Each structure stands twice: as structure tokens, then as C-alpha cells.
Amino acid sequence: KPIRKTLRPCVAESKDWDTTENLYIEGDNLEVLKLLQESYLGKVKMIYIDPPYNTGNDFIYADDFMRSQEEENAQMGMYDEDKNRLFKNTDTNGRFHSDWCSMIYSRLLLARNLLTDDGVIFISIDDNEVDDLMKIANDAFGKDNFLACFPRVTKKAGKTTDAIAKNHDYILAYSKSASPTLFLPSHTDEGFRFSDEYEAQRGKYKLNQTLDYDSLQYSASLDYPITVEGETFYPGQSYEKYLDRKNGKHARADWAWRWSKELFDFGYENGFIVIKKYDGYSRIYTKTYQNCKIAKAASGFTIEYIQRTKAISTLEFVENEYSNDNSKKNLTSLFESSVFDYSKPTALLKTLVQYSSTADDIVMDFFSGSATTAHAVMQLNAEDGGHRKFIMVQLPEKCDEASEAYKAGYKNICEIGKERIRRAGDKIKSESPMTTQDLDIGFRVLKLDDTNMKDVYYAPDDYDQGMLAGLESNIKDDRTDLDLLFGCLIDWGLPLSLPYKSEQIDGCTVHTY
């Protein structure tokens, strides 16, 4: 259903408003996702969400906008002054599962529209709803676009009164189409290296392109000795000159190198070939690439692109660095106390972002929480020189007055998230000042609100002469020129992160966007 809402800019709570390309949006994520449908249609490369787990104690969103406030209060027993539609979905509720499923279903449908054709979404969940979530995600993204279900260790085994300790949850991965672009992890075998120019090219191209080898047919051009690291190797018919010292045998007489001497020299110089020793016996290996093309040039060989990769393991996240133990350390390294419960560790999000985005991609998290995803994007950009942008969306849910966060002065979750981005960005730049001078650690704050326009729809009989003065402008009195500008951007389907300039012309403020 359409909504009459807008996003109002909040420059005072932003960081680097004029230059940043990152967004932090406060409000109900269902409504925010609706407002972003045109501006970011097919533009988000990776989405991560950590929705509330349906444990019976977590708040979920109630999305029936047709109820009156009295009906809301009667059903939920909680309706704060910010009009947040929240209630505790206890397991005594007859719609315990369906309330949660209805909440997540509409949001996934809207999220799919925002993904690029080769985009990916990752969803954290535990065993209370993992089976229901898979059914919903299969419907929203297509069963054939299911990529993996990653178990994630949540904590080390500790004291428990249960017979079985539950020490893991899950991350479901889906793609928008059958051809997602993933940037697989690089091997780090000892003795293997990339040249500087190769490193600059890694991660920029799609997979499923292979290195073209010379013919395996034996020919004289492939019968040459190789001397590396003080040891000589002989192929083909000359190979009987070289005794296999490990087994005391000669090699087959018809064996030949796969590459020409010219290609071998090029490959060895640039790290395609590695020599490994076993008990003093050396072997030559060529490295396997899933994303590489070597072209023959007049002056020899050149590399058009390269990425040496290995498959992503579904057991990637069972190490303790991805656990909640580590996420608490991440927060306490920035704050004086652990201001947010059940946040995800930065290492987890950084790895997911690294696998699914590169260069100038947009990363989104519409259950932003403590803004771990934003922290991870900035950290990864600092490490690999990327320019990824983030969009965080979070409802300003109030902090419990007994919580560490409230005692530290944070009244709602958004205040925690924004402060974390500020502190994390400053820390990242201070740790590597020489390489992070151009790192974007800012964010524009936008807040969901009712439309900028007055309700001027009346029946003809309701109009009278005294109403004319009120109809001179249909803009609400508390709205600014920036409110109107960003309202236009949403209506016109333009990105909300572009730079703009303002100037005075004949007493009017003119914005050029």
C-alpha cells in the first residue's frame, strides 16, 4: 500500500553532511523501504539483516495501519510517544509464528526490488524461525536462488542447565538471480605471491573465466629445462636425465610442460607458479584461478584481469572470531560499556561484505541495530581501498531504563548506532592515517515523518471564504527548504547521497542537486 510519508534531513546529527555518500535513516523499515523503492531500485549490491529473533521476548513490528490508536493500545499494551508500532510477541500469542512471518515477508519482498540483478542478501536467524524463514525467502527470492545456510557459532560452550547447549545460529544467503557476483576468498599458500599490479585487479571481475593454457600436445617448444631456486627440472624426452630422487624412478618419456618457456618465465615472475619441497624433493605447481585471463601481446604476455580464489565454505563462521563473545569486545573497544545486547561481530559483517561487494557498491542493513554493518563497511574500505557506501535503517526503539545503554546516556537504539559509526570511523582513521585520508566515515541522517504537505483535500461543501488564507501554501509550517528538497528527491527517484550546492538568487535559496 502507498504511504504519505517523507524522509526529513537532520544535518545536526549527521557527520560530513556535504561530502559523505552514506545514509543513516531513522524510522519503521517497512515504510522506509517503500520510500526508497524508486531511488534505489536495483542499485543495492548486498543486503544484510539481523531481524529480531522470535524468542517470545523480542519486539516485532505490527504492520496493520488501519487500526486506531485505541485499538493499537488494546492489542499491544505499548505505544510510546514516538508512535512506534511495537509489541512483545510472546509465545502465548495465538499468532506467535504468523505475526513474525507477516512482519518479515513484506520487508523481504521490498528488499528484493532494491537488489542489483547480481545482488545477494544475508539474513541472520536462529532455530525458532529458520524453517519458516526459508519458506518465506524461497517465495520472495525463488528456491533456485538459495545459496547457502551458514551455521554461526554464537558462544563458546559454557554453563547450562540444558542437556544440549545451543551455541549456534544461522545465516541464510539468497541471490536475486541465478547469476550472483561473489568475490571469493584468496588462497594464502606459503610461497605464493601476487605482484602489485595483480593485487590492484583482484576482486573486480566476475567468476567462471579460466586461464588459457598452451596445448598439452607434446612439441619441441615444450621440451626445455627449468632452473629455479638452484634446482633444474627436465620435461619430456629429456626427462630421463633427471632422476626422481624421492622414489628412485624416471618419469614418463613422453611427458611435457604445459606452458611454453616464454609463458613459464612470465608466470613464474608474476607468481602463477610456486615451488614446494617435500622432504627435500621439489615439485612445480601452477596456481588455479577462477577469474583470470592472460593475453598474448607483441612484447610477450599481459594480464587482463586476475583473481585466484577458493570456494566459500558453509563452515566459514564457526570460529570464535565470528561469535557474540567477539561482538561484545568490538563494542567495549569503542564504548565504556557494552551498550547493545546481541550485536553481531564486525569480523562477520566484514567477511560477508567482502564476499559480496566491491569498489563502489551499496551495502544495506534495514535492521541496523548497533550499526555493525556500517562499521564493517568502513573497516573493509580502509583495508582494500574500496568506496562502498552504506544505508542503515533503524527504528528509534527506546532503550530500557535499566540497561547499560540508557545509563550511558543513550535514549534509543539510533543514538547508539550513530555514535558507533562516529567512533568507529575516527578509530579506523587514527590507526592508519596515511592510507585513510580519503576514507568516507560520514553519514547523512534522515528521519521518517509525515508528508511535507498539508492535508488540503476537502469536499466542496466544506470550503468557505475564511479558508483561503490557509490555502495560499500547502506546505506545513515547520518544514524547511531541505525538507522539501529531499521530499522531491524521493518523489523523483533520485539517490539521497549526492552532493549539492545552495545559493541565494533574488532572495530565494536555490539548491542545485
Side-chain angles (χ1 to χ4, degrees):
K1 295 181 179 179
I3 56 174
R4 296 186 69 235
K5 299 280 187 176
T6 191
L7 295 178
R8 299 181 66 185
C10 185
V11 179
E13 297 179 26
S14 304
K15 182 173 183 177
D16 302 332
W17 172 273
D18 290 333
T19 58
T20 186
E21 295 183 82
N22 301 316
L23 300 178
Y24 189 97
I25 304 176
E26 298 185 23
D28 183 330
N29 55 15
L30 180 65
E31 296 175 325
V32 172
L33 287 170
K34 289 182 179 182
L35 291 177
L36 299 182
Q37 285 295 291
E38 291 192 33
S39 293
Y40 292 92
L41 180 69
K43 294 181 180 179
V44 178
K45 180 60 176 63
M46 181 268 206
I47 295 175
Y48 170 80
I49 56 171
D50 183 13
Y53 292 178
N54 200 14
T55 62
N57 295 309
D58 293 286
F59 290 103
I60 70 165
Y61 298 65
D63 297 329
D64 185 354
F65 302 124
M66 299 304 293
R67 289 196 298 269
S68 67
Q69 182 170 333
E70 291 73 20
E71 290 172 317
E72 294 268 9
N73 292 335
Q75 177 185 335
M76 295 188 272
M78 181 178 178
Y79 198 98
D80 65 27
E81 61 269 27
D82 294 326
K83 299 182 180 180
N84 295 328
R85 290 178 294 277
L86 294 172
F87 68 98
K88 276 194 174 182
N89 189 38
T90 63
D91 52 13
T92 58
N93 174 19
R95 293 170 53 86
F96 177 64
H97 288 289
S98 61
D99 277 338
W100 190 92
C101 292
S102 297
M103 180 277 295
I104 200 69
Y105 181 69
S106 52
R107 287 160 174 81
L108 291 185
L109 288 179
L110 291 169
R112 183 186 182 279
N113 296 337
L114 302 183
L115 282 175
T116 60
D117 288 341
D118 61 347
V120 181
I121 185 170
F122 297 96
I123 311 168
S124 284
I125 197 66
D126 70 354
D127 52 10
N128 285 292
E129 296 291 357
V130 64
D131 53 341
D132 289 327
L133 179 59
M134 287 194 69
K135 294 183 180 73
I136 291 171
N138 285 344
D139 190 70
F141 295 95
K143 188 174 182 179
D144 292 341
N145 294 331
F146 168 71
L147 297 178
C149 177
F150 298 94
R152 181 191 72 99
V153 63
T154 55
K155 60 183 177 180
K156 293 180 179 178
K159 293 182 179 180
T160 179
T161 57
D162 298 324
I164 299 175
K166 296 180 179 180
N167 291 336
H168 76 280
D169 56 15
Y170 307 94
I171 301 172
L172 298 184
Y174 281 82
S175 59
K176 184 175 181 179
S177 69
S179 302
T181 299
L182 296 175
F183 304 96
L184 304 187
S186 298
H187 284 286
T188 55
D189 301 280
E190 185 177 355
F192 178 75
R193 62 176 174 77
F194 284 107
S195 69
D196 292 342
E197 63 182 296
Y198 288 5
E199 285 288 348
Q201 295 299 319
R202 286 174 56 202
K204 294 184 179 178
Y205 300 90
K206 293 184 179 181
L207 305 178
N208 304 322
Q209 294 166 315
T210 58
L211 176 65
D212 294 323
Y213 292 101
D214 278 10
S215 171
L216 296 180
Q217 299 287 335
Y218 178 79
S219 69
S221 65
L222 301 180
D223 185 3
Y224 56 88
I226 294 173
T227 301
V228 289
E229 299 183 9
E231 192 164 6
T232 303
F233 299 83
Y234 297 90
Q237 295 173 350
S238 301
Y239 196 59
E240 58 185 67
K241 301 175 184 177
Y242 181 71
L243 181 67
D244 185 331
R245 292 174 296 182
K246 184 175 182 180
N247 301 314
K249 298 178 181 178
H250 289 79
R252 288 169 45 193
D254 61 349
W255 186 80
W257 299 123
R258 300 181 73 180
W259 291 359
S260 68
K261 180 67 164 60
E262 184 184 15
L263 181 56
F264 174 88
D265 291 340
F266 177 85
Y268 181 67
E269 178 184 353
N270 290 280
F272 284 93
I273 294 165
V274 67
I275 310 297
K276 288 193 174 184
K277 293 192 176 185
Y278 301 92
D279 299 328
Y281 175 74
S282 297
R283 290 179 182 270
I284 297 179
Y285 290 92
T286 56
K287 311 310 289 184
T288 302
Y289 295 81
Q290 289 178 278
N291 178 12
C292 175
K293 184 175 181 181
I294 295 178
K296 187 70 179 292
S299 58
F301 291 92
T302 61
I303 298 112
E304 291 189 4
Y305 48 80
I306 180 173
Q307 182 186 30
R308 179 170 174 270
T309 58
K310 63 181 179 181
I312 301 171
S313 170
T314 55
L315 298 178
E316 182 78 23
F317 305 113
V318 298
E319 300 299 328
N320 194 53
E321 68 173 313
Y322 302 117
S323 73
N324 293 344
D325 295 334
N326 205 32
S327 62
K328 186 174 182 179
K329 294 177 183 177
N330 295 154
L331 284 175
T332 54
S333 70
L334 297 171
F335 296 89
E336 293 72 25
S337 60
S338 181
V339 295
F340 195 88
D341 295 329
Y342 309 115
S343 65
K344 294 299 184 286
T346 308
L348 172 69
L349 270 299
K350 190 177 77 169
T351 301
L352 292 175
V353 173
Q354 184 177 30
Y355 287 171
S356 56
S357 69
T358 187
D360 298 317
D361 287 336
I362 297 175
V363 174
M364 185 179 203
D365 184 342
F366 54 85
F367 286 95
S368 172
S370 67
T372 304
T373 304
H375 187 168
V377 168
M378 294 187 298
Q379 184 68 57
L380 185 58
N381 282 342
E383 293 176 7
D384 69 4
H387 299 281
R388 301 169 186 84
K389 281 85 69 173
F390 62 75
I391 301 176
M392 300 292 105
V393 183
Q394 175 60 43
L395 187 78
E397 178 186 339
K398 289 192 174 298
C399 297
D400 190 314
E401 293 188 10
S403 67
E404 292 294 323
Y406 190 89
K407 294 175 183 177
Y410 302 104
K411 301 301 187 292
N412 61 57
I413 293 177
C414 291
E415 291 183 5
I416 298 173
K418 288 179 290 188
E419 185 61 20
R420 178 180 187 172
I421 300 173
R422 294 186 192 102
R423 296 189 182 197
D426 290 341
K427 186 171 186 287
I428 291 168
K429 294 195 80 166
S430 67
E431 291 173 343
S432 304
M434 300 303 294
T435 59
T436 59
Q437 295 177 359
D438 298 326
L439 181 66
D440 185 356
I441 58 172
F443 54 93
R444 283 183 177 175
V445 175
L446 303 169
K447 297 187 178 184
L448 182 73
D449 206 337
D450 292 328
T451 175
N452 292 319
M453 305 304 168
K454 295 177 181 177
D455 189 350
V456 293
Y457 299 102
Y458 299 95
D461 291 344
D462 294 333
Y463 285 98
D464 60 44
Q465 188 72 16
M467 296 173 62
L468 288 179
L471 299 177
E472 290 175 358
S473 172
N474 65 338
I475 299 171
K476 291 180 179 176
D477 296 335
D478 65 338
R479 302 306 161 100
T480 67
D481 53 343
L482 279 187
D483 290 330
L484 299 181
L485 171 63
F486 277 79
C488 290
L489 299 181
I490 294 170
D491 292 341
W492 297 335
L494 295 175
L496 307 179
S497 59
L498 298 181
Y500 63 94
K501 65 178 181 179
S502 305
E503 56 187 323
Q504 294 292 320
I505 300 178
D506 288 340
C508 294
T509 302
V510 177
H511 300 286
T512 304
Y513 194 81

